[in-house]
Every structure is written in C-alpha cells, then in structure tokens.
C-alpha cells in the first residue's frame, strides 16, 4: 500500500435528505419509522414514499425541455401500487414481461402509452401484447416474424418498434446495455435489411428503441450517448417504411448509491436535449420522443428496514445480526452486478443521531458470508429491537432478490 492520499478523508455517501428526522426518528411518508413498523406488525419491510417519487418526476419535468415524454420502466419496482402512482404521474409505462404488462394494463393507462421490450418473448407474451395493442419493441428478426404470424392469424396490425443494439456505448454506465455483441435488440447495421422485410409484413411500424445503458452519474457521458442515439435514429429513419412516430431514447440517469457518488446534475443534459429535440422536430417531425427511467423515479423513495436480532463481537469486530439481508435486498449486499462490494447508505432508523457511535458490520441471518448489508460502518450503538434502515432501496430491491433462499419470511411492502 502506498502512503499517497493517506490523509485524504475516505469518500462519503451523498447526504440522504429525502426523509425527515423528527425526534431523532427517521420518517417516511410523514410517519415515524417505529410507527410504520408497528402498523405493519413485523419487520423486515420495504416502505416507499409517494411524495419523494412525485418530486422526482416533477423536478425532471421542470428541468427537461417540453416535448420529452417520461415513461416509467417498471422492472425497477413493479409493486402495483407504485406502478399506479407512477402511471398517474408519467406519460407511459415500459414493461419487460407479460406479468408486468398485466400490471401496467390494470392501471388504466392507454395501451398506446405502453411499450414492451425484452429478449425471449414467448408466443403467449406476444399474443397478449398484440391483443392489448401496446407497442412491441422487437428484439430480433425471428421475433418480428412470430409477431407477423400472430397478426395474420388474428387479422390485426400490431404496433411495433425496432429495438436497436447501438454501435456505440454509454461510457461510465453502471450497466452497459448496448454496443458489441448483445442479446438485446438488433445490431444497428442489420436494421435496414430488417426494415425492408418489415415493410412487407402486416405490422404497423412506429419507430425505434435505443437503450445504451443504465445507472450513469456522469452528465457528459449521457449527453454524448444521447447525441449518438439521435444521430443513429436519423440515419436508420432513412431505411424506414414509414415516418418514425416513436423514438425511445432509453434512460440511464443514475442515482448515488455508494461513497463518493454524487447526485447527477441535470442542467447540461436538459440544455443539450433541447437542441436534440429541435433537430428531431426538423428531421423526424412525426416522432414522439420518450425517455424511459426506472430507478431514477423510485430508488431514492424507498427504504428497506430490518431489525437487530443479536449483537456479537468476533475477534475485535462488532456484528449486528439482523432479520433481513441478501435474500430480501440482493443489491444492498453487493451481489447484484457490483464488481467491488460497497456499502449502501444506511442508518439506525429509530435513533438516527447519537453521541455514542461505534464501528459495526451489519449482517443478515443467512449462512453465507455474502449476507452483508454494511461493512465497517459507523452507527449509533445498537441493541436488539433497533431498526436498520437502508436508503436508496426503492428500485431493484424486493423483486430483484432471491426471496426463497434459505426459506426465511418474506418482507412486507408498503407505499406511504
Ligand atoms: C432496465 C431497463 C430500464 C430501466 O433502467 P434504470 O436504470 O432503472 O433506469 C430502462 N429501459 C430498459 C430497456 C431496461 O431494460
């Protein structure tokens, strides 16, 4: 180890100011966490705050140029009450399975404001999509042919868009979804030939879906990817059988999870997007432009709350053993796509501030060292019965965790 930088303070989590602290207790939905726990009658649970989600949507709308449509990519949090709330606030929903599609349709949102992406759609998935009249983002030429067969059989003309695997990548993205060989979408260079075939099929061509990546906190990288996305759409439109009426430019706006990460600044993205929309108005005058976001709307609005069951010391380190962990919140344990494990921000929900602090490891009840929620974090001294609250837990939590692993009880979910 070098001494360089040894006097630099370690990176900190971004301040978590979305929830008030009243009488030293964290509040969510204006209710003290201890009372939420009492009302639910058990721990662990996920709690989501309606107002925090609404603020995210409103801020984005205020900041981004008029004319951009905001869609909620519901795999981030498919709890029906959350989806209903965001359906009321946004302009549409993006789904990735028939199960999600059923939840989306139940909100009453117009099917023309729902798009369905995802590789490996079965004929049953496609039939439901065709019957309900949503836009199907086609992931391959094989899928296109299967949709055409269903259209012929049913005498319908399904709305379709081509999901493009771009020929560029979103730099510095937490999860790269485009460029190189990918299971998602059709390689940009193969799209013109596909569009030629499409023009002879009973399909209603809507446009393109170009999603290059996720969880990005660098405005310049997002701006660059958006420029390339519009350029690619302009280029491909030349090969389209009819005017582009729908252009889904993906999303990628990230939220700060780990020490050293900061809230994404929106102003430059907004200015630049305004310019891109102006050139789109010129070059794709019929196109509605959609930004699809999942975690950006929900992550910060959610807490995962579990209870300290035991505290113990092992060879000089203190362990808080809780009744929650990896099986409920895989991402907070560091096992959902992270290369190097880092701590999510967390606090002692029922005693946020204290003069009596200690360094602890917060672990779950599973018999695996992977079941770790906080590694050497400084928290108020905690006892059994205290509540550990994990911030930034409103996305990729409940539905993205192996809840059957070790057969512990399921966590509850509430929207407040
Ligand atoms: C997962 C996904 C999203 C949402 O990503 P977030 O990082 O949660 O915003 C958007 N679009 C597509 C196609 C996706 O697969």
């Amino acid at each position: 180890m070098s001494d360089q930088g040894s006097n630099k303070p370690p990176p900190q989590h971004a301040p978590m100011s979305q929830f008030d602290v009243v009488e030293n207790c964290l509040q969510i939905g204006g209710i003290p966490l201890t009372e939420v726990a009492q009302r639910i009658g058990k721990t662990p649970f996920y709690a989501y705050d309606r107002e925090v989600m609404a603020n995210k949507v409103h801020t984005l709308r205020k900041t981004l140029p008029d004319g951009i449509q905001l869609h909620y990519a519901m795999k981030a949090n498919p709890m029906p009450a959350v989806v209903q709330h965001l359906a009321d606030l946004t302009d549409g929903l993006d789904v990735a399975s028939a199960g999600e599609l059923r939840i989306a349709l139940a909100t009453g949102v117009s099917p023309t404001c729902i798009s369905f992406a995802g590789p490996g759609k079965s004929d049953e998935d496609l039939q439901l999509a065709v019957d309900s009249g949503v836009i199907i983002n086609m992931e391959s030429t094989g899928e296109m042919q299967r949709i055409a067969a269903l259209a012929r059989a049913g005498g319908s003309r399904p709305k379709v868009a081509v999901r493009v695997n771009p020929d560029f990548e979103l730099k510095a993205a937490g999860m790269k979804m485009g460029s190189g060989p990918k299971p998602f979408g059709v390689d940009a260079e193969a799209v013109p030939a596909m569009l030629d075939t499409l023009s002879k099929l009973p399909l209603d061509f809507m446009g393109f879906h170009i999603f290059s990546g996720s969880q990005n906190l660098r405005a310049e990288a997002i701006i660059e990817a958006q420029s390339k996305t519009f350029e690619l759409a302009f280029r491909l439109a030349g090969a389209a059988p009819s005017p582009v009426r729908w252009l889904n430019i993906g999303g990628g706006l990230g939220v700060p999870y780990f020490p050293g990460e900061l809230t994404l600044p929106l102003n430059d993205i907004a200015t630049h997007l305004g310019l891109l929309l102006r050139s789109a108005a010129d070059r794709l005058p019929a196109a509605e432009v959609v930004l699809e976001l999942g975690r950006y709307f929900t992550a910060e609005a959610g807490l995962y709350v579990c209870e300290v069951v035991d505290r113990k010391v092992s060879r000089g380190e203190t362990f808080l053993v809780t009744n929650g962990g990896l099986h409920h919140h895989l991402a907070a344990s560091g096992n959902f796509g992270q290369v190097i494990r880092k701590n999510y921000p967390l606090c002692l929900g029922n005693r946020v501030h204290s003069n009596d602090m200690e360094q602890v490891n917060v672990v779950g009840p599973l018999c695996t060292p992977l079941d770790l929620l906080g590694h050497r974090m400084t928290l108020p001294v905690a006892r059994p019965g205290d509540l550990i609250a994990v911030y930034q837990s409103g996305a990729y939590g409940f539905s993205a965790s192996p809840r059957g692993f070790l057969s512990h009880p399921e966590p509850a979910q509430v929207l407040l």
Side-chain angles (χ1 to χ4, degrees), residues 241-259:
S242 56
V244 171
R245 282 172 285 160
W246 193 77
L247 175 60
N248 181 331
I249 62 169
L253 310 189
V255 298
Y257 290 107
F258 306 120

Side-chain angles (χ1 to χ4, degrees), residues 17 82 88 101 106 135-136 188 232 259 262 273 282 331 342 345 396 405:
S17 55
V82 168
D88 296 340
L101 178 52
I135 300 174
I136 307 173
L232 178 57
L262 298 172
L273 198 53
D282 195 31
K342 292 177 184 154
Y396 305 106
F405 188 39

Side-chain angles (χ1 to χ4, degrees), residues 8 39 81 148 195 207 209 216 226 257 262 287 307 323 407 414:
K8 251 202 300 182
R39 284 192 199 178
L195 291 171
H209 175 211
N216 202 302
Q226 289 182 342
Y257 290 107
L262 298 172
E307 189 172 330
N323 60 356
S407 303
V414 287

Side-chain angles (χ1 to χ4, degrees), residues 312-372:
K312 55 194 280 190
V313 176
S314 168
R315 306 217 163 103
E317 293 204 27
T318 299
F319 288 80
L320 300 179
V321 186
T322 72
N323 60 356
L326 166 160
H327 53 315
H328 297 163
H329 200 336
L330 188 65
S333 77
N335 294 292
F336 190 61
Q338 290 177 40
V339 180
I340 301 167
R341 190 198 174 281
K342 292 177 184 154
N343 291 326
Y344 266 50
L346 50 82
C347 75
L348 203 62
N350 58 308
R351 196 161 56 256
V352 178
H353 305 291
S354 170
N355 294 326
D356 197 10
M357 306 290 283
E358 65 177 348
Q359 194 187 70
V360 292
N361 297 297
V362 181
V363 302
L366 307 190
C367 300
T368 160
L370 299 177
D371 193 13
L372 176 64

